[in-house]
Amino acid sequence: MKFQRSLVAGGIGLAVVQATSLKDVCTTAHAKKALPASEEFQGLTLHPASITANAVYNASTTDEDNWPDVYGYDYCNVTMAYSHNGIANDKVLLEFWLPAPEKFQNRWLSTGGFGYAINGDEGDLPGGVVYGAVSGQTDGGYGSFSTELDAVFLLANGTINRQALYMQGYQAHYEMSMIGKAFSKNFYDMGSEKLYAYYQGCSEGGREGWSQVQRFPDEWDGAVIGAPAIRMGQQQVNHLYGNLVEHTMGYYPPPCELEMINNLTIKACDALDGKVNGVVGRTDLCKLHFNINSTIGHHYHCAASSTTTVLKRGLDKRTSETSTTPAQNGTVTAEGVAVAAKILDGLHTLDGKRAYIWYQPTATFDDADTEYNSETGKWELDITSLGGEWVARFLELRDADNIDSLDNVTYDTMTEWMIEGWKRYEDVLQTTWPDLTPFQEAGGKIIHYHGESDPSIPTGSSVHYHEMVRKIMYGNLSFEEGTKALNDWNRLYLVPGAAHCAPSDDQPNGPFPRTTLETLIEWVENGDKPDRLNATIMSGAHEGEQQDLCAWPLRPLWKNNGTTLDCVFDKKSYDTWTYDFDAYDVPLY
Ligand SMILES: *[C@@H]1O[C@H](CO)[C@@H](O)[C@H](O)[C@H]1NC(C)=O
Ligand SMILES: *[C@@H]1O[C@H](CO)[C@@H](O)[C@H](O)[C@H]1NC(C)=O
Ligand SMILES: *[C@@H]1O[C@H](CO)[C@@H](O)[C@H](O)[C@H]1NC(C)=O
Ligand SMILES: *[C@@H]1O[C@H](CO)[C@@H](O)[C@H](O)[C@H]1NC(C)=O
Ligand SMILES: *[C@@H]1O[C@H](CO)[C@@H](O)[C@H](O)[C@H]1NC(C)=O
Ligand SMILES: *[C@@H]1O[C@H](CO)[C@@H](O)[C@H](O)[C@H]1NC(C)=O
Ligand SMILES: *[C@@H]1O[C@H](CO)[C@@H](O)[C@H](O)[C@H]1NC(C)=O
Ligand SMILES: *[C@@H]1O[C@H](CO)[C@@H](O)[C@H](O)[C@H]1NC(C)=O
Ligand SMILES: *[C@@H]1O[C@H](CO)[C@@H](O)[C@H](O)[C@H]1NC(C)=O
Ligand SMILES: *[C@@H]1O[C@H](CO)[C@@H](O)[C@H](O)[C@H]1NC(C)=O
Ligand SMILES: [Ca+2]
C-alpha cells in the first residue's frame, strides 16, 4: 500500500492508485500485516492475535502544557501485546496512536510516565499525533496501562520483582521504541524513508528519557526531557527532609506560615530579574540577596477549608482524601523561619557535610506540610508518602505506602538511606551516567527543561547533572569552550516561576515551554538551534503571549523596565548552583 505523498515523490501511478485514508489502514488486518516478525527482536515474542485497532475522528485537546491547542485530528488507536521468552505468564501491552496517513510526517514519539507510572495513561499520546508522529506508551508488563510500578514492585515482602524494576528502569522503553518504529514503518509502507524518533516526558518520564539516552545512542534523534526524577536514591528520600527538620527542631509550622514565608520571598525577589511581574526569574539572586529573617513578624491568614486533596503517592496523582483545616491566623515566628531556612539549606550530615540539596527559594513547601489534630488543637508531623513509600517499599522491601514515624531518624540516617538506594539501584533507577558521547556522536539532540520553582524535584538536580556531563565529556576544555560544545547538542533551560512539570499557581504570569517538541523537531530535521526556547504565558493578564527562555548557564535579566530580555552570565549566581557533595566518598553525578 502506497500513499499519495510517496507516489508524488515517485512521480508515477497517481492516476490509478487511490490515496489511502485512515479508514482503509485502521483495521486489525492491516495492523497484523504491519506487525514485525518476532525474530527481529532478541528474546521477545510478538502476539498478532492480541492486536486491536479502532479509528478515532475529530479529536481535540486544549489547555495542555506541552503542546498547543489542536482541534479536529484523526488517528488510529492500535494496541498489542508481546512477551519475554523464558518468563512464565509475561505480557507487555503497547498502545500506539497513528496519525491519518495524509498527516503522518515520518515521526515516532515515545511518551513516559509520572510518579511510579511508566506511562501517562493516554494523556500524553496527542502530543505526538499533533506533530504527525506515531505516539506510543507501554504498560511495562504490570498488567494494565493504569498499573504503576509500586503496585507490582514486591513479589512478597523482601522479594523484589526484578523484571518489573528493570522494565521501569530502562528496558520497557527500549523495547517499545524498537517495536513501535518497525511497526510504524510497515504500517505506512515507508520503505527506505527515514523515520525520525523522538522522546518526550517529564518527572519520572524525564528519568525514563535519560535512561534511554544514556544507554541506547542510536534509538533517538532527539529527546525533550523535563524535570527528570534522576538520582533516585537521593531524590525520593529527600522528600522527607522537610519533615525531618520539623521533627528534629521540634517545631511544626502551620502550613499557612510556610506559605506566607514563601509568598513574602516571591514578593521580595520578584524585581531582582528586572521585571516586576510576580515571577521570580532569578532564584539565584534571591539566594544571594534575600534575608529570610525579614519575614518574621508578618501577619498571615488562611481561611478554614475542607478540601479533597489528591494524595500524592510517589509523585503520583492516584487517590484522594478529604481533610479539614481550621482557619490559620497568626504571625510568622522565628521558629518557623528557622525551620524554613534549615530546609532551604538542604540535607547535611551531623558533622556538616553536604548530602543533598533542597528546592530553590520560591518553591512551595508542600513536602513539609503539617497536619492539624483537632483533639489537641495542634499542628503535627505529617510524613509525606512521597518519601515514606520509597523508604518502606524500595529500601525496607515492605508492602507499605509509608513509614510510621521519624523517631530516632537523624540527618545521618537520611544520608545512609540515600546511599543505600543509590547503591542498590545504581544501574537501574539512579540514571546519572554522565558520559553521553555515543549519543552525541550519533547526532542526537536534547532539550532539557526544569521549573525554577519546582517543589518536588530540585531544580539544582538538573543543573548538577548537566554540569557533570560537561565535566566528564569536556573536562579538558575551558568552562566557556566546554559549555559551547555541550550546548551544541544538549541544552538546559530553567523555566522562571514554573512548578513541577507545570506552571505555578503562585506565579501565574510565568511562561511555560509549550512548543518544545516542535522546537526539537526543527533542530533535528532542519538544523535550527534553539538559542532561546519558545515559551507561552499560560494565565494571567498576558495569557497567550510569547516569552523566551534562556539557555543555561545564561540567566534572564530584563532591561528597559522589563520590556527587553537579556540572557547574561554572572559568576556569583552560577556559583549558587554548584555543590560539593562531600558527604560521599565517591562522586555523585
Ligand atoms: C468535530 O467536533 C466539534 C466539537 O468538538 C464539532 O463542533 C464538529 O461539528 C465536529 N466535526 C465533525 C465533522 O464531526
Ligand atoms: C484504544 O484501544 C484500547 C484497546 O481496545 C482501548 O482500551 C482504549 O480505550 C482505546 N483508546 C481510544 C482513545 O480509542
Ligand atoms: C500566597 O499567595 C497565593 C497566590 O498569590 C494566595 O492565594 C495565598 O492566599 C497567599 N497565602 C498567604 C498565606 O497569604
Ligand atoms: C537569621 O536569624 C537567626 C537567628 O537569630 C540567625 O542565626 C541567622 O544568622 C539569621 N540569618 C541571616 C541570614 O541573617
Ligand atoms: C486574626 O488575628 C488578628 C490579631 O491577632 C485579629 O485582629 C484578626 O481579626 C484575626 N482575623 C481573623 C479572621 O480571625
Ligand atoms: C508485609 O509488610 C507489611 C508492611 O510492613 C505488613 O503489614 C504485612 O503484614 C506483611 N505481609 C506479610 C505476609 O508478612
Ligand atoms: C528510639 O530509640 C529509643 C532509645 O534507644 C527506643 O527506646 C525507642 O523504642 C526507639 N523508637 C523507635 C520508634 O524506634
Ligand atoms: C583529556 O586530555 C588527556 C591528556 O591529554 C587525554 O588522555 C583525555 O582523553 C582527554 N579527555 C577528554 C575528555 O578529552
Ligand atoms: C512560540 O509560542 C507562541 C505562543 O506563545 C506560538 O504562537 C508560536 O507558534 C511559537 N513558535 C514556535 C516556533 O513554536
Ligand atoms: C515600568 O513598568 C511598570 C509595569 O509595567 C509600570 O507600571 C511603570 O510605570 C513603568 N515605569 C516606567 C518608568 O516606565
Ligand atoms: Ca520578576
Side-chain angles (χ1 to χ4, degrees):
M1 206 174 309
K2 278 277 176 192
F3 304 130
Q4 199 163 30
R5 182 179 35 75
S6 44
L7 284 171
V8 169
I12 46 159
L14 251 186
V16 288
V17 185
Q18 297 279 312
T20 311
S21 71
L22 181 64
K23 192 164 160 282
D24 297 327
V25 290
C26 196
T27 65
T28 45
H30 180 66
K32 274 182 192 168
K33 240 173 64 190
L35 194 67
S38 296
E39 289 69 40
E40 291 181 31
F41 311 96
Q42 189 185 30
L44 306 183
T45 299
L46 278 53
H47 302 297
S50 68
I51 286 191
T52 70
N54 64 283
V56 178
Y57 295 96
N58 197 23
S60 296
T61 56
T62 55
D63 302 322
E64 292 286 340
D65 293 332
N66 291 304
W67 62 88
D69 294 350
V70 223
Y71 301 92
Y73 60 94
D74 307 333
Y75 61 92
C76 182
N77 169 39
V78 170
T79 67
M80 56 157 293
Y82 68 92
S83 49
H84 295 93
N85 301 342
I87 301 183
N89 304 318
D90 183 53
K91 186 171 93 170
V92 185
L93 298 174
L94 300 177
E95 179 167 336
F96 306 140
W97 284 12
L98 301 109
E102 70 277 11
K103 293 287 170 61
F104 178 58
Q105 295 188 64
N106 293 13
R107 295 177 186 137
W108 161 266
L109 178 76
S110 287
T111 64
F114 210 78
Y116 289 113
I118 196 169
N119 63 63
D121 216 1
E122 292 193 338
D124 293 330
L125 295 177
V129 178
V130 302
Y131 294 117
V134 177
S135 298
Q137 67 174 19
T138 172
D139 85 337
Y142 311 155
S144 79
F145 288 108
S146 53
T147 308
E148 303 178 12
L149 175 67
D150 54 348
V152 297
F153 176 72
L154 292 175
L155 296 171
N157 285 345
T159 308
I160 294 175
N161 180 347
R162 289 184 186 272
Q163 178 63 12
L165 171 64
Y166 279 81
M167 285 295 274
Q168 182 95 12
Y170 56 85
Q171 192 64 25
H173 272 290
Y174 179 63
E175 292 169 356
M176 172 169 72
S177 72
M178 292 298 118
I179 295 170
K181 286 188 276 186
F183 177 80
S184 301
K185 285 185 166 189
N186 295 341
F187 189 89
Y188 295 103
D189 196 8
M190 288 179 63
S192 60
E193 282 178 59
K194 178 169 168 66
L195 177 70
Y196 287 97
Y198 298 100
Y199 181 92
Q200 178 164 252
C202 201
S203 194
E204 162 61 11
R207 189 203 61 76
E208 290 160 22
W210 277 126
S211 79
Q212 304 301 289
V213 168
Q214 291 168 4
R215 281 184 183 76
F216 309 110
D218 300 320
E219 188 182 347
W220 311 106
D221 294 291
V224 174
I225 295 178
I230 54 169
R231 218 172 293 107
M232 197 77 128
Q234 278 74 19
Q235 160 61 31
Q236 296 300 73
V237 172
N238 201 49
H239 281 296
L240 293 170
Y241 177 61
N243 292 150
L244 184 59
V245 168
E246 292 164 345
H247 198 58
T248 305
M249 296 179 78
Y251 180 73
Y252 303 94
C256 191
E257 184 177 14
L258 290 179
E259 190 179 302
M260 189 66 191
I261 292 171
N262 201 48
N263 280 7
L264 291 166
T265 305
I266 292 170
K267 200 160 172 239
C269 294
D270 181 359
L272 295 173
D273 58 15
K275 186 181 179 83
V276 179
N277 58 349
V279 179
V280 180
R282 292 296 296 276
T283 58
D284 42 24
L285 293 177
C286 192
K287 271 191 169 179
L288 291 170
H289 299 299
F290 177 61
N291 186 345
I292 197 170
N293 287 351
S294 66
T295 64
I296 295 170
H298 279 262
H299 178 250
Y300 63 79
H301 175 73
C302 293
S305 66
S306 173
T307 43
T308 301
T309 49
V310 177
L311 256 191
K312 284 178 288 183
R313 194 170 153 204
L315 287 183
D316 170 38
K317 303 174 178 172
R318 186 163 33 192
T319 44
S320 60
E321 181 183 71
T322 302
S323 63
T324 310
T325 35
Q328 299 165 67
N329 191 25
T331 52
V332 174
T333 61
E335 291 91 334
V337 168
V339 161
K342 177 76 180 161
I343 293 175
L344 285 165
D345 195 30
L347 176 65
H348 290 72
T349 56
L350 293 172
D351 61 356
K353 293 178 175 159
R354 181 176 288 283
Y356 212 50
I357 55 179
W358 192 247
Y359 317 119
Q360 294 296 108
T362 67
T364 55
F365 288 94
D366 296 3
D367 278 359
D369 272 353
T370 50
E371 189 172 43
Y372 187 69
N373 182 332
S374 53
E375 277 164 30
T376 61
K378 288 192 172 140
W379 292 91
E380 295 180 347
L381 181 68
D382 182 18
I383 301 174
T384 173
S385 61
L386 289 174
E389 181 178 17
W390 174 263
V391 174
R393 194 180 299 280
F394 289 80
L395 298 184
E396 296 172 351
L397 306 183
R398 293 186 296 114
D399 182 16
D401 292 343
N402 208 337
I403 50 176
D404 298 328
S405 119
L406 286 176
D407 292 350
N408 299 345
V409 173
T410 67
Y411 300 132
D412 282 355
T413 318
M414 260 192 87
T415 307
E416 283 156 20
W417 283 341
M418 287 184 177
I419 293 171
E420 190 183 347
W422 175 9
K423 277 186 181 169
R424 185 181 298 167
Y425 301 111
E426 168 129 49
D427 66 335
V428 54
L429 295 177
Q430 189 74 358
T431 328
T432 48
W433 190 264
D435 182 7
L436 307 178
T437 304
F439 181 82
Q440 178 268 324
E441 285 180 350
K445 305 284 184 284
I446 290 163
I447 297 181
H448 177 179
Y449 68 90
H450 204 131
E452 190 148 338
S453 302
D454 190 324
S456 209
I457 294 180
T459 313
S461 161
S462 281
V463 171
H464 183 68
Y465 179 62
H466 190 79
E467 291 296 296
M468 288 297 109
V469 171
R470 180 182 61 77
K471 283 185 185 152
I472 293 295
M473 289 182 66
Y474 306 112
N476 287 358
L477 303 179
S478 67
F479 174 76
E480 286 77 14
E481 287 169 327
T483 297
K484 193 164 173 288
L486 186 60
N487 275 1
D488 215 34
W489 58 276
N490 174 6
R491 288 175 182 234
L492 170 65
Y493 303 85
L494 303 188
V495 189
H500 187 53
C501 297
S504 157
D505 295 340
D506 298 322
Q507 299 175 67
N509 300 322
F512 201 77
R514 205 188 185 196
T515 54
T516 311
L517 182 56
E518 191 176 331
T519 305
L520 179 69
I521 287 170
E522 276 159 18
W523 192 6
V524 165
E525 297 180 19
N526 303 325
D528 298 340
K529 252 188 234 174
D531 285 333
R532 295 177 173 194
L533 186 62
N534 198 37
T536 310
I537 297 169
M538 304 290 282
S539 62
H542 297 273
E543 185 176 341
E545 281 179 21
Q546 193 271 343
Q547 199 175 101
D548 282 341
L549 307 183
C550 299
W552 179 264
L554 301 185
R555 305 291 297 135
L557 192 61
W558 293 86
K559 288 196 315 196
N560 305 325
N561 193 26
T563 55
T564 315
L565 176 67
D566 260 4
C567 294
V568 302
F569 181 77
D570 151 22
K571 180 72 167 61
K572 265 195 185 151
S573 294
Y574 174 86
D575 287 345
T576 69
W577 295 94
T578 61
Y579 311 94
D580 179 13
F581 292 104
D582 55 351
Y584 309 116
D585 52 13
V586 291
L588 181 71
Y589 293 119

